[in-house]
Amino acid sequence: MPEANDRQAVLEGCVSDLGLEGSDGERCLFLIRNGDSDGLQRFLALKRKESLERAHLMERELERIDELLIRI
């Protein structure tokens, strides 16, 4: 585990925890390593939006499943 004061290593560890794969992971690491905070914030905001949309879709699916279970 990297030291908390090693900002880049901590950020890179967070990318690993996010499960970003392929070009998304590479893009995120590129932004971190190049110190592009603005680009990284835009990238992460987009990823957050995408994740939130997937979460809402899953929530709607669960609601439909619950509705079907109630009706049968």
Side-chain angles (χ1 to χ4, degrees):
M1 183 81 169
E3 295 293 322
N5 61 3
D6 186 358
R7 184 174 181 269
Q8 184 168 332
V10 170
L11 291 174
E12 289 180 14
C14 289
V15 172
S16 174
D17 292 345
L18 286 173
L20 293 176
E21 297 177 358
S23 61
D24 281 345
E26 291 171 16
R27 176 75 179 150
C28 194
L29 290 173
F30 174 83
L31 294 167
I32 290 169
R33 291 174 181 152
N34 287 295
D36 186 353
S37 294
D38 291 337
L40 183 58
Q41 286 181 1
R42 284 189 301 274
F43 175 83
L44 291 174
L46 177 62
K47 289 294 148 196
R48 183 182 189 287
K49 180 182 178 202
E50 291 171 358
S51 293
L52 191 56
E53 288 171 357
R54 283 194 311 275
H56 287 163
L57 177 61
M58 297 288 283
E59 191 174 25
R60 284 191 300 274
E61 289 176 4
L62 288 169
E63 289 170 359
R64 296 302 182 263
I65 291 169
D66 290 344
E67 184 178 336
L68 285 170
L69 286 170
I70 290 169
R71 292 179 183 273
I72 58 173

